[in-house]
Amino acid sequence: MSTTHDVINPATEEVVTTLDLVGVEETDAAIAKAVEVGPAWRAVSPADRGMLLRRFADVVEEHTEELARLEVTNAGHTIGNARWEAGNVVNVLRYYSAAPERLFGRQIPVAGGLDVTFKEPLGVVSVIVPWNFPMPIAGWGFAPALAAGNTVVLKPAELTPLTAIRLGELALQAGLPEGVFTILPGKGSVVGERFVTHPDVRKVCFTGSTAVGQGIMRKAADQLKRVTLELGGKSANIVFADADVEKAAASAPMSFLDNAGQDCCARTRILVQRKVYDAFMERFEAAIRAVRVGDPGDESTEMGPMVSSGQRDTVRSFVEDAEATGHAAPDIAFRGAAPSGKGWWYPPTVLMAHGTGDRAWREEIFGPVVSVMPFDDEADAIAKANDTAYGLSGSIWTRDVGRAIRVSRAVEAGNLSVNSHSSVRYSTPFGGFKASGIGRELGPDALDAFTETKNVFFDTQA
Ligand code: NAD
């Protein structure tokens, strides 16, 4: 049964296009095709597979502006961010285009023969993408998976399928054989579920909410299917009194407002050492009020709308509608501006946490809302930072090198930055501790997640 989905521009609420959603039969057909073309793709020589991925990167690069504009329209991303996101796909493809020729095994000394290991492709790999970073997250899955010799079926999020569909077309244009990389826009409960239950899909590479990720892992156990899970976050931004407080306060807004706060790495819990709390808040307020929220297609815009009315309702349930949903009303310290009228706008909002039990302090909001709390000393900061189910990202601001090292080793998170808010580089590993996920993407070791190690012993005595 075919169903349709209206893709809506979050800044205008206008219907951009209506898509036919893929059902189980088409999903099964795409998986069957991916199985069929697998041996030929795997047999492409390493140099040629690398060359095809570089060609794919070149074609994506030629279409950067088109892809970026598509993301502005589909997801409400600012044009600056959207260009970076398309560029990230190019960079990730180029980075992993070097991998086929470097998929090294090992030669291990043993008695009586020669022992070597091979990195074998898994077969058909599925990639399930959320709506918040449709292009980069797709690329972090498909680029290393293809480089390792797998075929890929990819499901974009229902809300944001357009750039993924275009990337699928560009792959064919670049010369990737039909069926090696197939985009299947459809529902999570249909296409996503089928990826998990289909016996020919050997791996699920999932990015999304912790609850859905847990469900996928449970079901994947039936077939001992490999999973990589990149899930939610509630990251801490820790500002010590010995830091450059001015710089910490000036940079804090975009550490949680980037992509309208719909960022798994958003630093949504700010911990400030009590001695500099007032000084920090004064500068932070000025910086929040200066953030330019508006038309995402305008070059000077820093923050666009929320992706959907549903996501904005979720954010409101933590702030305006907290009492209506049975929670204590939060203490709003100050807010930035946002357009009114059509579009799913929400203003940058800063809450003063009452305590670590606050719902807004504990739960991932996935919107432009941050909570701030003072701390006393290093031990208190570490305890508060780690008092969360999540462990994805975080920042530490201090001029004391010893403290920077101690605290970055003590915070339980996969991606930390000291005196900055950087999280993701295609050449370094990315992923979460605790409820933020399992496995790592990107960086030099990502190929391990898309291959099986095979050990072969050759008897030289025979
Ligand atoms: P979501 O879990 O609702 O959906 C993610 C994807 O999974 C979508 O494509 C969806 O269609 C699909 N899906 C839904 N139900 C499924 C099922 N039963 N089986 C298989 N697939 C299913 O998440 P979302 O709302 O799209 O994205 C926001 C979440 O993603 C946030 O929690 C955020 O923190 C997280 N996220 C994490 C990272 C990271 O790298 N750690 C990056 C971006 C987003």
Side-chain angles (χ1 to χ4, degrees):
M1 191 191 68
S2 140
T3 43
T4 58
H5 175 75
D6 288 339
V7 176
I8 299 178
N9 181 331
T12 63
E13 301 182 33
E14 283 161 10
V15 176
V16 179
T17 184
T18 300
L19 285 179
D20 283 329
L21 294 182
V22 164
V24 171
E25 268 177 36
E26 288 152 292
T27 306
D28 283 357
I31 294 166
K33 179 80 180 167
V35 171
E36 183 194 319
V37 301
W41 176 243
R42 191 180 159 151
V44 172
S45 76
D48 285 349
R49 200 155 64 228
M51 187 266 296
L52 277 168
L53 293 178
R54 280 191 290 283
R55 276 224 302 252
F56 187 8
D58 292 345
V59 175
V60 174
E61 190 169 46
E62 284 157 22
H63 292 80
T64 298
E65 194 60 22
E66 179 202 328
L67 288 162
R69 292 281 164 197
L70 208 51
E71 208 65 285
V72 172
T73 307
N74 188 169
H77 290 195
T78 61
I79 183 65
N81 274 16
R83 285 186 188 125
W84 181 91
E85 290 160 21
N88 183 257
V89 176
V90 175
N91 289 335
V92 171
L93 275 168
R94 289 204 175 121
Y95 184 73
Y96 289 109
S97 74
E101 292 177 284
R102 293 167 178 77
L103 213 48
F104 302 124
R106 308 174 92 176
Q107 180 266 312
I108 300 168
V110 292
L114 172 72
D115 193 282
V116 289
T117 65
F118 297 92
K119 299 266 186 200
E120 305 287 14
L122 302 173
V124 180
V125 165
S126 68
V127 182
I128 301 177
V129 182
W131 47 258
N132 63 333
F133 288 110
M135 280 191 277
I137 292 173
W140 304 349
F142 72 68
L146 292 170
N150 303 285
T151 51
V152 173
V153 286
L154 182 146
K155 193 198 88 62
E158 290 90 321
L159 291 172
T160 56
L162 300 187
T163 48
I165 292 171
R166 192 71 186 112
L167 286 170
E169 294 166 356
L170 296 177
L172 292 176
Q173 192 178 318
L176 263 76
E178 191 105 26
V180 164
F181 175 45
T182 306
I183 309 299
L184 296 161
K187 291 188 174 172
S189 56
V190 178
V191 180
E193 285 264 355
R194 191 62 186 138
F195 287 174
V196 183
T197 57
H198 197 301
D200 288 336
V201 174
R202 295 289 168 79
K203 162 140 190 163
V204 181
C205 180
F206 171 82
T207 304
S209 59
T210 298
V212 173
Q214 286 169 316
I216 286 176
M217 192 167 172
R218 264 184 222 113
K219 286 180 201 139
D222 288 343
Q223 296 168 11
L224 290 172
K225 195 168 294 205
R226 276 63 178 145
V227 291
T228 300
L229 304 175
E230 299 288 0
L231 310 174
K234 193 75 198 177
S235 299
N237 176 9
I238 311 172
V239 182
F240 286 95
D242 62 20
D244 181 341
V245 174
E246 200 132 330
K247 197 168 166 198
S251 65
M254 292 320 289
S255 81
F256 76 97
L257 295 177
D258 192 52
N259 204 23
Q262 303 162 124
D263 181 345
C264 50
C265 293
R267 276 67 164 172
T268 50
R269 296 182 300 144
I270 305 184
L271 287 158
V272 186
Q273 197 155 15
R274 210 175 290 279
K275 279 180 263 185
V276 293
Y277 185 81
D278 290 342
F280 176 89
M281 288 301 267
E282 194 183 310
R283 290 170 174 83
F284 184 38
E285 178 170 2
I288 286 285
R289 293 196 192 282
V291 173
R292 290 183 297 272
V293 182
D295 176 3
D298 184 327
E299 304 277 344
S300 66
T301 295
E302 291 172 288
M303 185 182 122
M306 311 291 312
V307 74
S308 66
S309 61
Q311 190 58 27
R312 186 174 63 177
D313 289 346
T314 302
V315 178
R316 283 180 173 159
S317 79
F318 284 87
V319 188
E320 291 84 355
D321 302 339
E323 283 178 303
T325 51
H327 299 275
D331 213 342
I332 299 175
F334 42 84
R335 305 183 97 162
S340 51
K342 287 273 185 199
W344 296 308
W345 306 101
Y346 195 85
T349 300
V350 178
L351 308 177
M352 281 188 293
H354 298 126
T356 53
D358 283 11
R359 181 172 171 238
W361 182 262
R362 301 210 76 77
E363 292 182 25
E364 184 180 51
I365 300 175
F366 230 52
V369 181
V370 75
S371 297
V372 192
M373 185 186 288
F375 69 86
D376 295 315
D377 55 19
E378 195 174 303
D380 188 29
I382 292 166
K384 283 179 169 146
N386 287 339
D387 181 18
T388 170
Y390 295 110
L392 189 56
S393 189
S395 304
I396 298 148
W397 291 81
T398 175
R399 286 191 177 102
D400 179 331
V401 177
R403 166 169 285 155
I405 295 168
R406 283 192 305 274
V407 178
S408 57
R409 294 300 304 270
V411 173
E412 296 163 346
N415 301 83
L416 294 168
S417 55
V418 176
N419 295 329
S420 73
H421 297 296
S422 104
S423 290
V424 184
R425 285 186 180 79
Y426 59 82
S427 55
T428 60
F430 177 73
F433 281 30
K434 305 197 288 190
S436 289
I438 288 186
R440 292 292 177 274
E441 297 190 291
L442 299 174
D445 302 326
L447 277 293
D448 290 347
F450 295 103
T451 52
E452 293 281 11
T453 298
K454 179 186 284 171
N455 189 74
V456 183
F457 171 72
F458 299 85
D459 189 336
T460 50
Q461 311 304 307

